[in-house]
Structure formats: structure tokens, C-alpha cells
């Protein structure tokens, strides 16, 4: 598996993977899917957008960008998406690890996740295993696709 900055030719596969997570309604906050018009601008607008390739095929991606503006712009935020057909093979771990290694070169001092859904046990296990600290919980902060309010956790990891 290779992780590298995305290329325009990756956009169709990236968009399909991203939209599958949006449609599932159990991890990302977005309601609207990307399309061939909005995806290029969205992915290009990030500080770093990277893809995981397996045999030349995009199997996952992440976006890295400031979590906030101004005096808080030195802390990053990220989102990760892995093709559902290849989950559980370490792709998410590789993407998160690459994003952590990219923090300092991109000018960030740490990485904060604002909305890790409490039912997303796989992500929580991964983040804790990689040394993220759970710094808080927002009760009922995430409205899932079924209309149920779930707790969401906030995690933080300093730059390496």
C-alpha cells in the first residue's frame, strides 16, 4: 500500500468513497454528497488531501485542514474514509499515521477531532491505540441517519 498526495485522476474513486461515508450517516457530519463539480474544489481546498493506493486503486483518503481560524489555526482537523470493501486491513491506521506525520510539515502543532461518534468503536480504538487523548464528550452531539442523537467525543494528538 502507498499513501501519497491525491491527483486529479483519483477524484472519481475518492468521491465515491467519501460519498459512501456521507450516505451511511454514522460518522461524517456532512449531509450533502460531492459531485464532479464540487469534489475537485473541496479536495483542493484542504491543506493536504492524501490517498491510500492498493495495486494502483484508491482504497482510502484523508483531508487535513485547520480546525479553526486565527489564533486557533495551528491545530488541525482531519477526516478519513476507507472503501467499505477493504476495511479492517490497516488502511485507516496508515492514513491516520500519515496525517500525524504531516502535521508539522504543514505547520500544525496538533490534531483535534471534534466529532468522533460514540458508536464508531473501530475509530475510537484506533485513535486511542495511536496515542490520541479523549479530551471531552458532547452528549447527544451527533444526529445519525436514523434520527437518533448520539454522544460524540473530542480527541487530540500533538504533532510528532
Amino acid at each position: 500500500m502507498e499513501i501519497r498526495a491525491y491527483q486529479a485522476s483519483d477524484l472519481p474513486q475518492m468521491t465515491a468513497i467519501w460519498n459512501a461515508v456521507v450516505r451511511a450517516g454514522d460518522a461524517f457530519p456532512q449531509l450533502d454528497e460531492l459531485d464532479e463539480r464540487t469534489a475537485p474544489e473541496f479536495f483542493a481546498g484542504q491543506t493536504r488531501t492524501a490517498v491510500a493506493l492498493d495495486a494502483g486503486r484508491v482504497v482510502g483518503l484523508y483531508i487535513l485542514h485547520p480546525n479553526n481560524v486565527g489564533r486557533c489555526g495551528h491545530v488541525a482537523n482531519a477526516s478519513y474514509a476507507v472503501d467499505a470493501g477493504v476495511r479492517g486491513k490497516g488502511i485507516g491506521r496508515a492514513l491516520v499515521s500519515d496525517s500525524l506525520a504531516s502535521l508539522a510539515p504543514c505547520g500544525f502543532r496538533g490534531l483535534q477531532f471534534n466529532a468522533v461518534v460514540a458508536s464508531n468503536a473501530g475509530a475510537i480504538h484506533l485513535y486511542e491505540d495511536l496515542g490520541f487523548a479523549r479530551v471531552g464528550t458532547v452528549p447527544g452531539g451527533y444526529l445519525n441517519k436514523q434520527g437518533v442523537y448520539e454522544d460524540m467525543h473530542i480527541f487530540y494528538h500533538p504533532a510528532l
Side-chain angles (χ1 to χ4, degrees):
M1 181 175 45
E2 172 192 4
I3 298 182
R4 61 156 170 78
Y6 87 103
Q7 300 170 358
S9 60
D10 301 325
L11 284 167
Q13 293 171 301
M14 293 168 60
T15 303
I17 293 168
W18 183 270
N19 286 343
V21 177
V22 171
R23 269 192 307 279
D26 59 4
F28 283 179
Q30 290 86 356
L31 296 172
D32 298 327
E33 295 183 30
L34 298 172
D35 59 32
E36 57 189 38
R37 181 184 52 79
T38 58
E41 181 179 351
F42 175 76
F43 290 121
Q46 308 301 320
T47 303
R48 176 168 166 76
T49 300
V51 294
L53 299 172
D54 184 20
R57 183 175 147 259
V58 176
V59 293
L61 65 122
Y62 75 84
I63 59 171
L64 183 70
H65 53 87
N67 187 55
N68 211 320
V69 298
R71 297 184 191 279
C72 299
H74 59 279
V75 177
N77 183 268
S79 298
Y80 309 90
V82 175
D83 185 317
V86 293
R87 289 188 186 148
K89 298 183 178 186
I91 297 164
R93 177 177 296 273
L95 289 166
V96 175
S97 295
D98 189 82
S99 71
L100 287 171
S102 297
L103 290 174
C106 288
F108 296 116
R109 295 177 50 109
L111 179 57
Q112 177 178 321
F113 300 141
N114 301 318
V116 180
V117 182
S119 62
N120 193 345
I124 291 169
H125 173 77
L126 173 61
Y127 301 151
E128 290 176 343
D129 195 47
L130 289 173
F132 282 81
R134 188 182 312 189
V135 296
T137 299
V138 179
Y142 185 85
L143 177 61
N144 69 25
K145 188 175 181 176
Q146 289 72 38
V148 175
Y149 289 95
E150 294 187 55
D151 291 352
M152 64 183 193
H153 303 301
I154 301 166
F155 282 86
Y156 179 77
H157 196 294
L160 303 174

